[in-house]
Amino acid sequence: LDLKTDRSVVRRLLDRGFDVYLIDWGIPDDASSQLRLEDYVCKFLNDVVSFVCDHVGTPHLNLLGYCMGGTMSTIFTSLHPDRVRNLILMATPIDFAGDKGLLNLWAREEYFDVDKLIDAFGNCPGELLKFVFQLMKPVQNFAEKQLTLSENLNDAAFVDNFVAVERWAGDSIPVVGETFRQYVKSLYQQNQLVKGRLRLAGLPVRLEAIECPLLLLVAEKDHLVAPESTLALKQHVSSTESRSMSIDAGHVGLAVSSRAHRQLWPEAANWIAHHSTEL
């Protein structure tokens, strides 16, 4: 979200006049392996929202989540609908029932024993996730990408952007074990969120409790999160106003591609500003 100055979602929002607070979840270690999804949503995210609202002096804020962070943002909004003015989601898995993405197939219970993985490692290794993502498009990741780089070695701007994205993509960190176990079982394997069966800290997560305006941002070539998974949220909420925007890009390109910052983010920032007049 803030990879480079000229391709920074944070910069686009700052330029539009917003105060931007970015959550750094830290790097999980063995001591944090027992943290669960409710710790992140009901405690950490709740504390962040309280801090920001107190710091700015507002009863509610705009909440933006990317990928898994979007799922957590959606869950938080359903539990605390009065604290979120607008919910903005980027490439966020909501309905996990689809079979258009390899992740949805590979994560099925008959193929993936998440208990064995987490019981063995404690946390889900970052290197494992990196290789899983690479193997979803092996030809592109292990051949085409390097060929494209070799063909553009004389283009300093291309090389600079290529190195920035590759450095980020290679800097994999673990995912907290119990959170990963819960996320895979409850969402990927049982699809509890859209079925209304998810509970966190003893509280039912009801998507119909969400009434705020929604902005759903999807990437048409996203191989990690199918656009249909994100857009399905509109069928389950009580919001009377929702807007979806798409871009011809992939999962990462939604945040860092030049096309996204040229075509999508100016419009998205204007939408957020227009729906934030009460803040």
Side-chain angles (χ1 to χ4, degrees), residues 112-148:
F112 181 35
D113 190 335
V114 66
D115 288 327
K116 284 187 176 180
L117 175 71
I118 300 306
D119 290 346
F121 288 95
N123 292 319
C124 178
E127 286 294 308
L128 172 65
L129 290 178
K130 182 178 73 172
F131 287 128
V132 167
F133 296 149
Q134 289 176 331
L135 288 172
M136 293 178 70
K137 286 191 172 182
V139 175
Q140 177 180 332
N141 286 315
F142 297 115
E144 290 181 1
K145 186 165 58 177
Q146 303 305 322
L147 178 60
T148 302

Side-chain angles (χ1 to χ4, degrees), residues 8-245:
S8 167
V9 173
V10 172
R11 175 54 57 189
R12 299 289 83 75
L13 296 176
L14 288 172
D15 289 345
R16 196 59 181 78
F18 291 103
D19 295 320
V20 179
Y21 297 80
L22 186 65
I23 300 176
D24 182 349
W25 297 110
I27 300 177
D29 55 18
D30 292 341
S32 60
S33 64
Q34 297 302 308
L35 292 174
R36 294 173 58 81
L37 194 56
E38 48 256 44
D39 293 308
Y40 281 93
V41 175
C42 301
K43 185 179 188 304
F44 303 144
L45 183 53
N46 183 62
D47 289 346
V48 168
V49 171
S50 296
F51 171 83
V52 172
C53 288
D54 291 344
H55 189 257
V56 177
T58 180
H60 47 209
L61 45 62
N62 294 315
L63 187 59
L64 184 152
Y66 191 5
C67 195
M68 184 178 179
T71 310
M72 293 193 292
S73 298
T74 302
I75 295 171
F76 176 86
T77 304
S78 74
L79 295 173
H80 303 282
D82 59 322
R83 304 182 69 188
V84 179
R85 179 67 181 88
N86 298 296
L87 178 62
I88 304 100
L89 303 180
M90 299 172 56
T92 293
I94 297 293
D95 188 343
F96 293 78
D99 57 2
K100 290 189 176 181
L102 280 177
L103 279 184
N104 295 77
L105 297 175
W106 289 351
R108 287 180 177 176
E109 191 172 3
E110 59 264 36
Y111 304 132
F112 181 35
D113 190 335
V114 66
D115 288 327
K116 284 187 176 180
L117 175 71
I118 300 306
D119 290 346
F121 288 95
N123 292 319
C124 178
E127 286 294 308
L128 172 65
L129 290 178
K130 182 178 73 172
F131 287 128
V132 167
F133 296 149
Q134 289 176 331
L135 288 172
M136 293 178 70
K137 286 191 172 182
V139 175
Q140 177 180 332
N141 286 315
F142 297 115
E144 290 181 1
K145 186 165 58 177
Q146 303 305 322
L147 178 60
T148 302
L149 173 63
S150 67
E151 293 173 341
N152 290 274
L153 286 175
N154 293 325
D155 186 337
F158 178 91
V159 173
D160 185 52
N161 289 322
F162 182 93
V163 170
V165 173
E166 287 300 295
R167 182 185 296 120
W168 168 82
D171 188 23
S172 301
I173 65 171
V175 177
V176 169
E178 290 305 317
T179 296
F180 186 79
R181 190 199 308 264
Q182 188 178 8
Y183 196 80
V184 170
K185 282 190 169 184
S186 298
L187 300 179
Y188 270 103
Q189 295 181 350
Q190 300 173 18
N191 205 18
Q192 291 183 3
L193 182 58
V194 296
K195 291 181 178 180
R197 302 207 312 252
L198 183 66
R199 298 180 69 90
L200 291 189
L203 301 173
V205 177
R206 305 297 188 199
L207 292 178
E208 61 267 24
I210 298 176
E211 300 178 342
C212 66
L214 302 177
L215 178 59
L216 307 177
L217 307 176
V218 299
E220 297 167 8
K221 295 179 180 177
D222 195 332
H223 67 292
L224 298 180
V225 180
E228 294 86 350
S229 177
T230 305
L231 300 177
L233 180 62
K234 294 187 289 186
Q235 305 170 20
H236 300 279
V237 299
S238 300
S239 304
T240 58
E241 184 169 359
S242 65
R243 174 78 185 277
S244 60
M245 300 180 188

